[in-house]
Amino acid sequence: MSNSNKNPADETSDKTVAKAEKNSQMLYDFTKQGKGKWRIQNDVVMGGRSESQLKMTDENYALFTGRVSLENNGGFCSIHQTSEKEPFIINKESDAFILNIKGDVKDYNFRIRTPKGRHSYAATFSTNNNGDWETIAIPFKSMQATYRGEVVNVPNYNGEDIVEMQLLIGNKKEEKFEILVKSISAN
């Protein structure tokens, strides 16, 4: 998997995070909506051997855990939700996605897909492991168009409505991972 967009949060100022917390549009709140239609999609769809689980904690957070394997040309684990018939409507004033997560010092890839085309828009972000919740801001302009992990010649994401959200780990190495997700919003 290609992770061409490193650390979009590094481009984001404290001012953007403050705006995000104040004016956010909730897209999915695991603490209120539970697991819903989120499901696992690992490299086994291509013959890989990676394994992951998605379950809800007692505190109603989504716990995404597993093991990425490079065996048999594998290398990724992901969770995603598709809503083709009822797209997530993105406010025209929004300019970033906001993820509330508790990480494990690994890099993750956040992807969205619009009703237009088969490509996704993706950005990679790093997490910490200090035991605190993190607010990760991913500016729309940092999300490159990709298809099957490779960059395609399409302009970066511009705030269109979305039909799919995905959280993926695929750092081209074998590793165990564990991340808690509270919510995903747009600001």
Side-chain angles (χ1 to χ4, degrees):
M1 300 267 83
S2 173
N3 285 337
S4 59
N5 301 4
K6 283 297 200 183
N7 300 321
D10 291 346
E11 302 169 13
T12 306
S13 67
D14 292 336
K15 192 176 186 180
T16 303
V17 172
K19 175 189 170 201
E21 292 171 348
K22 184 177 179 184
N23 299 319
S24 71
Q25 167 198 0
M26 187 57 61
L27 297 175
Y28 202 89
D29 186 340
F30 286 97
T31 64
K32 293 184 172 103
Q33 297 172 268
K35 193 160 83 169
K37 295 180 181 178
W38 285 84
R39 65 182 197 256
I40 296 291
Q41 184 176 47
N42 298 331
D43 58 19
V44 296
V45 299
M46 303 175 340
R49 302 278 190 260
S50 299
E51 303 172 326
S52 69
Q53 303 82 39
L54 174 64
K55 55 186 168 184
M56 299 302 293
T57 67
D58 292 340
E59 298 84 15
N60 287 329
Y61 304 129
L63 175 62
F64 178 38
T65 62
R67 180 186 60 81
V68 176
S69 170
L70 300 180
E71 187 179 338
N72 207 31
N73 294 317
F76 76 90
C77 292
S78 75
I79 56 173
H80 71 110
Q81 181 189 46
T82 304
S83 184
E84 297 281 349
K85 293 182 181 174
E86 296 179 37
F88 294 95
I89 308 301
I90 304 300
N91 290 337
K92 299 301 177 207
E93 304 81 37
S94 297
D95 62 3
F97 289 106
I98 308 302
L99 283 64
N100 287 309
I101 55 110
K102 193 182 285 190
D104 58 1
V105 193
K106 294 186 173 58
D107 290 344
Y108 290 85
N109 193 262
F110 179 67
R111 298 176 180 199
I112 53 97
R113 188 171 55 82
T114 70
K116 299 176 185 174
R118 295 175 56 188
H119 61 276
S120 297
Y121 295 92
T124 298
F125 62 93
S126 297
T127 64
N128 68 41
N129 189 22
N130 64 9
D132 294 331
W133 285 97
E134 299 177 73
T135 300
I136 305 292
I138 302 174
F140 290 172
K141 65 183 178 186
S142 73
M143 299 187 75
Q144 287 185 314
T146 64
Y147 183 71
R148 296 188 176 171
E150 298 298 322
V151 175
V152 295
N153 190 20
V154 173
N156 287 11
Y157 178 65
N158 66 6
E160 298 172 64
D161 296 342
I162 59 176
V163 295
E164 184 173 13
M165 291 185 284
Q166 181 179 33
L167 183 63
L168 178 141
I169 184 167
N171 296 319
K172 297 183 181 180
K173 62 182 173 182
E174 296 201 7
E175 61 186 339
K176 291 183 179 180
F177 66 92
E178 178 175 302
I179 187 169
L180 286 167
V181 185
K182 190 184 295 184
S183 64
I184 301 170
S185 57
N187 77 312

